């Protein structure tokens, strides 16, 4: 596949949980904490507060372009 897509969620520390970065291949519409953060590190009552602190971004990149650039850089 020449294109890679993923959702990246950066979640800062929350209560006694350290910060963490989560990546998952999901559609752009599902790019949110509830669909990407697995396993959820906090119990049910804290999920909303935890997810509000996370920053999720949908990313697309071309693997072919990356490979070509690496070949040029290392040639």
């Amino acid at each position: 596949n020449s294109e890679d897509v993923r959702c990246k969620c950066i979640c800062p520390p929350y209560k006694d949980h350290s910060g963490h970065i989560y990546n998952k291949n999901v559609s752009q519409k599902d790019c949110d904490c509830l669909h990407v953060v697995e396993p959820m590190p906090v119990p049910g009552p804290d999920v909303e507060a935890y997810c509000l602190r996370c920053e999720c971004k949908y990313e697309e990149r071309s693997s072919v372009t990356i490979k070509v650039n690496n070949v040029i850089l290392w040639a």
Side-chain angles (χ1 to χ4, degrees), residues 15 32 43-44 47 50 52 59 71:
K15 294 187 176 181
D32 59 41
V47 169
Y50 180 81
L52 286 173
E59 300 176 341
V71 168

Side-chain angles (χ1 to χ4, degrees), residues 13-72:
Y14 178 78
K15 294 187 176 181
D16 60 345
H17 299 279
S18 60
H20 195 78
I21 297 174
Y22 299 88
N23 293 302
K24 190 171 181 184
N25 292 333
V26 295
S27 67
Q28 190 169 7
K29 72 177 182 68
D30 289 335
C31 184
D32 59 41
C33 174
L34 293 175
H35 288 98
V36 175
V37 176
E38 290 182 356
M40 186 61 68
V42 296
D46 286 332
V47 169
E48 184 177 2
Y50 180 81
C51 281
L52 286 173
R53 299 170 58 86
C54 297
E55 182 180 339
C56 298
K57 292 184 181 178
Y58 185 74
E59 300 176 341
E60 291 183 45
R61 64 184 187 164
S62 172
S63 296
V64 171
T65 301
I66 292 167
K67 288 176 187 173
V68 168
N69 285 336
N70 284 339
V71 168
I72 291 170

